Amino acid sequence: MKIPYELFIGLRYLRAKRKQTSISVNTIISIAGVALGVTALIVVLSVMSGFQEDLQGKILGINSHIVILQFGGNIRDYRTVIDRVKTQNGVLSASPFIINQAMLSSGKMTQGVVLRGIDLSYKGSTTYLQKTIKEGSLDTLKDERMHGIILGKELSKNLAVFIGDSVNVISPAGSLTPVGMLPKMKTFKVIGIFDSGMFEFDSNIAYISLKDAQSFFEMGDTVTATEVRIDNIYKARELSHEIQQFLGPPYFSRSWMEMNRNLFSALKLEKIAMFIILVLIILVAAFNIVSTLIMIIIEKGKDIAILKSMGATNSGIMSIFIINGLMIGIVGTIIGVIGGYSVCYLLKTYQIITLPGDIYHITHLPVKMNTLDFIVISLSAIGISFLATLYPSWQAAHLDPAESLRYE
């Protein structure tokens, strides 16, 4: 197979002669610059993807994938709604819940919380909560005589209560009595403590049974909303719209993406910003490629003149140096991808970098390697390297052979 002379010469110029060691060193530095930029990009984006996935998992560990509500108030025929929703493709389970604000007090400690009433009789309604229980038992919530309550880890610390202790639940709305509207208070027994890993959840959420919530908030046989869990969380938006159309007015639904849109949009924007910032490392390496090619062109001026006198075209000369610079980018990118993957693998497997769990609620850097990130980073690095070769190659193609040979 005949090799094009542009490819042969372009690859040959990557290896400098003994008296041109500076060119060889510059080539190595250029390759190292590209490799360093690619490695940094892969590691940073993989860590950020890991953080996003970890945060997403914790949010969905407490919240449902889709929430169905009713315009103008609570849902009365929630059993019918649940039965209808379960017939939809992709729905794993559906269950009613009550959510309201309340005050918890124990001794001299008082704190406002979000109180959720849940029904354990519905399949899948508390699967997520069961996984986060660290002390006590979720099944105890079924005992209606006990009036149990499950607190978050941080909330139990703030109130200084443990399993078996009692807390007073106070409704800010109160209840109507012969002497007027007075705050309603009821004593509950702590039967469990959960740890979701999210400080906001662990310090502000408490669970009681659905019947206790209906009785305490005087809601009768109604619920605040119905939560739905599906088989593909990334199709929650589409399935939410389908469920809303299926149920029709007065019901409407919201997916977890819509409810946490601001948070995940901020994370996505931060990831894009980090990508742009770290691409600057590759741009610096691109300047090294430019300087290396210029030095090679200066050193090879005589060779260029001879090639032109032998019939080489301007496009052929350009191709030689484009190939030369592009190979620097490709080799650097390959090394960078291997290096980035290796670092991510070590961070994920051996958890080299540890974090204080009481501050970040994770003990090590979470890492998630996305194939798409690897592809985008690789193409970006090679594309920047290619653009860096254009001006020096154009300059080489337009050298005057007579001027190059005049002083030889």
Side-chain angles (χ1 to χ4, degrees), residues 230-253:
I230 60 178
D231 56 1
N232 189 341
I233 61 174
Y234 299 106
K235 292 184 177 179
R237 194 190 305 273
E238 293 80 2
L239 191 51
S240 173
H241 293 161
E242 292 177 9
I243 290 175
Q244 183 168 319
Q245 292 177 356
F246 175 68
L247 294 176
Y251 304 105
F252 68 98
S253 60

mmCIF file of all heavy atoms in Angstrom, residues 230-253:
data_model
loop_
_atom_site.group_PDB
_atom_site.id
_atom_site.type_symbol
_atom_site.label_atom_id
_atom_site.label_comp_id
_atom_site.label_asym_id
_atom_site.label_seq_id
_atom_site.Cartn_x
_atom_site.Cartn_y
_atom_site.Cartn_z
ATOM 1 N N ILE A 230 -41.986 5.594 39.222
ATOM 2 C CA ILE A 230 -41.987 5.030 37.871
ATOM 3 C C ILE A 230 -40.705 4.236 37.633
ATOM 4 O O ILE A 230 -39.757 4.300 38.426
ATOM 5 C CB ILE A 230 -42.148 6.136 36.811
ATOM 6 C CG1 ILE A 230 -41.003 7.147 36.909
ATOM 7 C CG2 ILE A 230 -43.485 6.845 36.992
ATOM 8 C CD1 ILE A 230 -41.056 8.247 35.876
ATOM 9 N N ASP A 231 -40.665 3.511 36.501
ATOM 10 C CA ASP A 231 -39.517 2.640 36.233
ATOM 11 C C ASP A 231 -38.341 3.377 35.604
ATOM 12 O O ASP A 231 -37.206 2.908 35.657
ATOM 13 C CB ASP A 231 -39.937 1.457 35.345
ATOM 14 C CG ASP A 231 -40.577 1.924 34.043
ATOM 15 O OD1 ASP A 231 -40.674 3.147 33.824
ATOM 16 O OD2 ASP A 231 -40.992 1.052 33.243
ATOM 17 N N ASN A 232 -38.583 4.527 34.989
ATOM 18 C CA ASN A 232 -37.508 5.301 34.353
ATOM 19 C C ASN A 232 -37.629 6.755 34.798
ATOM 20 O O ASN A 232 -38.498 7.492 34.320
ATOM 21 C CB ASN A 232 -37.593 5.197 32.832
ATOM 22 C CG ASN A 232 -36.379 5.809 32.143
ATOM 23 O OD1 ASN A 232 -35.643 6.606 32.714
ATOM 24 N ND2 ASN A 232 -36.158 5.448 30.893
ATOM 25 N N ILE A 233 -36.749 7.166 35.701
ATOM 26 C CA ILE A 233 -36.862 8.506 36.283
ATOM 27 C C ILE A 233 -36.636 9.605 35.244
ATOM 28 O O ILE A 233 -37.097 10.731 35.419
ATOM 29 C CB ILE A 233 -35.873 8.683 37.443
ATOM 30 C CG1 ILE A 233 -34.424 8.520 36.980
ATOM 31 C CG2 ILE A 233 -36.190 7.726 38.563
ATOM 32 C CD1 ILE A 233 -33.400 8.836 38.066
ATOM 33 N N TYR A 234 -35.932 9.279 34.159
ATOM 34 C CA TYR A 234 -35.631 10.298 33.146
ATOM 35 C C TYR A 234 -36.796 10.531 32.191
ATOM 36 O O TYR A 234 -36.744 11.440 31.365
ATOM 37 C CB TYR A 234 -34.372 9.915 32.373
ATOM 38 C CG TYR A 234 -33.164 9.820 33.271
ATOM 39 C CD1 TYR A 234 -32.629 8.588 33.632
ATOM 40 C CD2 TYR A 234 -32.571 10.962 33.783
ATOM 41 C CE1 TYR A 234 -31.540 8.491 34.476
ATOM 42 C CE2 TYR A 234 -31.474 10.881 34.636
ATOM 43 C CZ TYR A 234 -30.966 9.644 34.974
ATOM 44 O OH TYR A 234 -29.884 9.561 35.815
ATOM 45 N N LYS A 235 -37.832 9.714 32.305
ATOM 46 C CA LYS A 235 -39.037 9.927 31.514
ATOM 47 C C LYS A 235 -40.166 10.497 32.368
ATOM 48 O O LYS A 235 -41.333 10.466 31.981
ATOM 49 C CB LYS A 235 -39.486 8.611 30.871
ATOM 50 C CG LYS A 235 -38.530 8.099 29.801
ATOM 51 C CD LYS A 235 -39.073 6.848 29.136
ATOM 52 C CE LYS A 235 -38.144 6.379 28.014
ATOM 53 N NZ LYS A 235 -38.647 5.150 27.359
ATOM 54 N N ALA A 236 -39.790 11.019 33.541
ATOM 55 C CA ALA A 236 -40.800 11.512 34.476
ATOM 56 C C ALA A 236 -41.588 12.679 33.904
ATOM 57 O O ALA A 236 -42.801 12.771 34.094
ATOM 58 C CB ALA A 236 -40.126 11.932 35.791
ATOM 59 N N ARG A 237 -40.911 13.578 33.184
ATOM 60 C CA ARG A 237 -41.605 14.738 32.640
ATOM 61 C C ARG A 237 -42.683 14.324 31.624
ATOM 62 O O ARG A 237 -43.828 14.782 31.683
ATOM 63 C CB ARG A 237 -40.595 15.688 31.980
ATOM 64 C CG ARG A 237 -41.160 17.068 31.678
ATOM 65 C CD ARG A 237 -40.167 17.847 30.811
ATOM 66 N NE ARG A 237 -38.858 17.931 31.411
ATOM 67 C CZ ARG A 237 -38.501 18.875 32.264
ATOM 68 N NH1 ARG A 237 -39.377 19.798 32.625
ATOM 69 N NH2 ARG A 237 -37.273 18.892 32.759
ATOM 70 N N GLU A 238 -42.305 13.422 30.698
ATOM 71 C CA GLU A 238 -43.248 12.974 29.686
ATOM 72 C C GLU A 238 -44.416 12.197 30.313
ATOM 73 O O GLU A 238 -45.585 12.417 29.975
ATOM 74 C CB GLU A 238 -42.553 12.098 28.642
ATOM 75 C CG GLU A 238 -41.533 12.829 27.782
ATOM 76 C CD GLU A 238 -40.190 13.018 28.476
ATOM 77 O OE1 GLU A 238 -40.050 12.541 29.632
ATOM 78 O OE2 GLU A 238 -39.297 13.643 27.879
ATOM 79 N N LEU A 239 -44.080 11.297 31.256
ATOM 80 C CA LEU A 239 -45.130 10.487 31.888
ATOM 81 C C LEU A 239 -46.035 11.358 32.752
ATOM 82 O O LEU A 239 -47.240 11.101 32.866
ATOM 83 C CB LEU A 239 -44.491 9.381 32.732
ATOM 84 C CG LEU A 239 -45.425 8.287 33.256
ATOM 85 C CD1 LEU A 239 -46.258 7.699 32.137
ATOM 86 C CD2 LEU A 239 -44.622 7.196 33.957
ATOM 87 N N SER A 240 -45.473 12.398 33.353
ATOM 88 C CA SER A 240 -46.277 13.321 34.158
ATOM 89 C C SER A 240 -47.328 14.009 33.300
ATOM 90 O O SER A 240 -48.491 14.136 33.701
ATOM 91 C CB SER A 240 -45.363 14.364 34.817
ATOM 92 O OG SER A 240 -46.111 15.352 35.477
ATOM 93 N N HIS A 241 -46.927 14.432 32.103
ATOM 94 C CA HIS A 241 -47.877 15.072 31.190
ATOM 95 C C HIS A 241 -48.955 14.080 30.737
ATOM 96 O O HIS A 241 -50.136 14.439 30.619
ATOM 97 C CB HIS A 241 -47.141 15.633 29.976
ATOM 98 C CG HIS A 241 -46.228 16.770 30.325
ATOM 99 N ND1 HIS A 241 -45.192 17.182 29.510
ATOM 100 C CD2 HIS A 241 -46.186 17.575 31.417
ATOM 101 C CE1 HIS A 241 -44.562 18.185 30.082
ATOM 102 N NE2 HIS A 241 -45.138 18.441 31.239
ATOM 103 N N GLU A 242 -48.552 12.836 30.492
ATOM 104 C CA GLU A 242 -49.519 11.821 30.074
ATOM 105 C C GLU A 242 -50.538 11.551 31.187
ATOM 106 O O GLU A 242 -51.737 11.414 30.916
ATOM 107 C CB GLU A 242 -48.791 10.533 29.707
ATOM 108 C CG GLU A 242 -47.941 10.633 28.438
ATOM 109 C CD GLU A 242 -47.177 9.356 28.161
ATOM 110 O OE1 GLU A 242 -47.439 8.343 28.855
ATOM 111 O OE2 GLU A 242 -46.311 9.364 27.252
ATOM 112 N N ILE A 243 -50.058 11.453 32.425
ATOM 113 C CA ILE A 243 -50.958 11.203 33.552
ATOM 114 C C ILE A 243 -51.922 12.371 33.731
ATOM 115 O O ILE A 243 -53.117 12.177 33.999
ATOM 116 C CB ILE A 243 -50.139 10.973 34.844
ATOM 117 C CG1 ILE A 243 -49.411 9.621 34.772
ATOM 118 C CG2 ILE A 243 -51.032 11.019 36.078
ATOM 119 C CD1 ILE A 243 -48.485 9.362 35.932
ATOM 120 N N GLN A 244 -51.419 13.590 33.583
ATOM 121 C CA GLN A 244 -52.274 14.765 33.730
ATOM 122 C C GLN A 244 -53.380 14.780 32.675
ATOM 123 O O GLN A 244 -54.532 15.085 32.972
ATOM 124 C CB GLN A 244 -51.424 16.037 33.631
ATOM 125 C CG GLN A 244 -52.215 17.325 33.837
ATOM 126 C CD GLN A 244 -51.323 18.522 34.012
ATOM 127 O OE1 GLN A 244 -50.307 18.465 34.692
ATOM 128 N NE2 GLN A 244 -51.698 19.631 33.395
ATOM 129 N N GLN A 245 -53.018 14.440 31.450
ATOM 130 C CA GLN A 245 -54.023 14.385 30.381
ATOM 131 C C GLN A 245 -55.010 13.235 30.612
ATOM 132 O O GLN A 245 -56.206 13.352 30.319
ATOM 133 C CB GLN A 245 -53.341 14.228 29.031
ATOM 134 C CG GLN A 245 -52.538 15.456 28.602
ATOM 135 C CD GLN A 245 -51.810 15.244 27.284
ATOM 136 O OE1 GLN A 245 -51.838 14.157 26.718
ATOM 137 N NE2 GLN A 245 -51.150 16.286 26.802
ATOM 138 N N PHE A 246 -54.496 12.126 31.141
ATOM 139 C CA PHE A 246 -55.335 10.952 31.387
ATOM 140 C C PHE A 246 -56.360 11.231 32.484
ATOM 141 O O PHE A 246 -57.539 10.883 32.350
ATOM 142 C CB PHE A 246 -54.452 9.768 31.767
ATOM 143 C CG PHE A 246 -55.211 8.527 32.150
ATOM 144 C CD1 PHE A 246 -55.939 7.816 31.209
ATOM 145 C CD2 PHE A 246 -55.195 8.068 33.465
ATOM 146 C CE1 PHE A 246 -56.646 6.671 31.562
ATOM 147 C CE2 PHE A 246 -55.895 6.928 33.824
ATOM 148 C CZ PHE A 246 -56.619 6.230 32.872
ATOM 149 N N LEU A 247 -55.929 11.873 33.580
ATOM 150 C CA LEU A 247 -56.837 12.154 34.689
ATOM 151 C C LEU A 247 -57.761 13.328 34.375
ATOM 152 O O LEU A 247 -58.936 13.321 34.729
ATOM 153 C CB LEU A 247 -56.035 12.458 35.963
ATOM 154 C CG LEU A 247 -55.222 11.310 36.550
ATOM 155 C CD1 LEU A 247 -54.421 11.784 37.745
ATOM 156 C CD2 LEU A 247 -56.140 10.150 36.961
ATOM 157 N N GLY A 248 -57.216 14.336 33.690
ATOM 158 C CA GLY A 248 -58.006 15.507 33.356
ATOM 159 C C GLY A 248 -58.268 16.386 34.568
ATOM 160 O O GLY A 248 -57.885 16.061 35.709
ATOM 161 N N PRO A 249 -58.947 17.526 34.376
ATOM 162 C CA PRO A 249 -59.273 18.427 35.493
ATOM 163 C C PRO A 249 -60.149 17.697 36.506
ATOM 164 O O PRO A 249 -60.928 16.807 36.132
ATOM 165 C CB PRO A 249 -60.022 19.572 34.813
ATOM 166 C CG PRO A 249 -59.609 19.495 33.370
ATOM 167 C CD PRO A 249 -59.399 18.047 33.080
ATOM 168 N N PRO A 250 -60.042 18.019 37.806
ATOM 169 C CA PRO A 250 -59.269 19.120 38.394
ATOM 170 C C PRO A 250 -57.864 18.726 38.843
ATOM 171 O O PRO A 250 -57.291 19.390 39.699
ATOM 172 C CB PRO A 250 -60.129 19.492 39.599
ATOM 173 C CG PRO A 250 -60.658 18.154 40.064
ATOM 174 C CD PRO A 250 -60.890 17.351 38.813
ATOM 175 N N TYR A 251 -57.320 17.641 38.284
ATOM 176 C CA TYR A 251 -56.018 17.166 38.742
ATOM 177 C C TYR A 251 -54.887 17.712 37.863
ATOM 178 O O TYR A 251 -55.075 17.954 36.661
ATOM 179 C CB TYR A 251 -55.975 15.633 38.728
ATOM 180 C CG TYR A 251 -57.074 15.002 39.543
ATOM 181 C CD1 TYR A 251 -58.175 14.403 38.917
ATOM 182 C CD2 TYR A 251 -57.036 15.014 40.933
ATOM 183 C CE1 TYR A 251 -59.194 13.831 39.665
ATOM 184 C CE2 TYR A 251 -58.052 14.451 41.672
ATOM 185 C CZ TYR A 251 -59.130 13.861 41.043
ATOM 186 O OH TYR A 251 -60.138 13.310 41.787
ATOM 187 N N PHE A 252 -53.743 17.890 38.472
ATOM 188 C CA PHE A 252 -52.542 18.246 37.726
ATOM 189 C C PHE A 252 -51.355 17.544 38.379
ATOM 190 O O PHE A 252 -51.418 17.155 39.554
ATOM 191 C CB PHE A 252 -52.328 19.763 37.687
ATOM 192 C CG PHE A 252 -51.986 20.385 39.015
ATOM 193 C CD1 PHE A 252 -50.670 20.663 39.365
ATOM 194 C CD2 PHE A 252 -52.993 20.722 39.917
ATOM 195 C CE1 PHE A 252 -50.358 21.244 40.578
ATOM 196 C CE2 PHE A 252 -52.687 21.306 41.145
ATOM 197 C CZ PHE A 252 -51.366 21.570 41.463
ATOM 198 N N SER A 253 -50.302 17.346 37.625
ATOM 199 C CA SER A 253 -49.150 16.592 38.121
ATOM 200 C C SER A 253 -47.855 17.366 37.894
ATOM 201 O O SER A 253 -47.770 18.209 37.000
ATOM 202 C CB SER A 253 -49.068 15.226 37.436
ATOM 203 O OG SER A 253 -48.924 15.396 36.034
#
